[in-house]
Amino acid sequence: MSAGAPVSDSAVPQITRGHRLQFEPAQDCHVLLYPEGMITLNDSAAEILQRCDGQRSVQAICNDLSAAFDGADVTADVHAFLKLAASHGWIVFDQT
């Protein structure tokens, strides 16, 4: 995916090798750990990244989050976050 390209609904995101998502009790939030440091995540980012398992498509992630949050339209926010996460190297996409 190039920097300006939109995120495809059929793309399957996965957290990049060397990164690990976990809940950090000392911070009382989810963090993304990597060899050089740690990224503190807000609740929305954590909800999205928890679903980036290399199995679910972007559309499936949007559907799951929408169902979890009373039918809220989360598509634009999910796409924007995934594009940001990919630009930082936190996730990669498999195109299907």
Side-chain angles (χ1 to χ4, degrees):
M1 182 179 100
S2 67
V7 174
S8 167
D9 283 334
S10 63
V12 178
Q14 174 174 326
I15 295 176
T16 307
R17 186 177 178 166
H19 289 72
R20 185 177 74 224
L21 177 67
Q22 72 179 39
F23 185 79
E24 188 62 48
Q27 318 266 319
D28 194 30
C29 65
H30 280 88
V31 297
L32 188 62
L33 299 172
Y34 60 103
E36 298 84 24
M38 175 179 75
I39 300 153
T40 303
L41 302 169
N42 65 27
D43 291 340
S44 298
E47 288 287 344
I48 296 168
L49 284 178
Q50 287 174 13
R51 290 163 171 82
C52 292
D53 56 9
Q55 303 297 312
R56 291 181 250 203
S57 69
V58 171
Q59 185 62 57
I61 292 169
C62 291
N63 292 345
D64 189 44
L65 286 167
S66 179
F69 293 96
D70 298 322
D73 183 4
V74 299
T75 302
D77 292 333
V78 170
H79 280 247
F81 176 76
L82 292 176
K83 189 171 182 176
L84 173 77
S87 75
H88 286 293
W90 304 341
I91 62 168
V92 294
F93 293 100
D94 285 334
Q95 300 294 331
T96 57

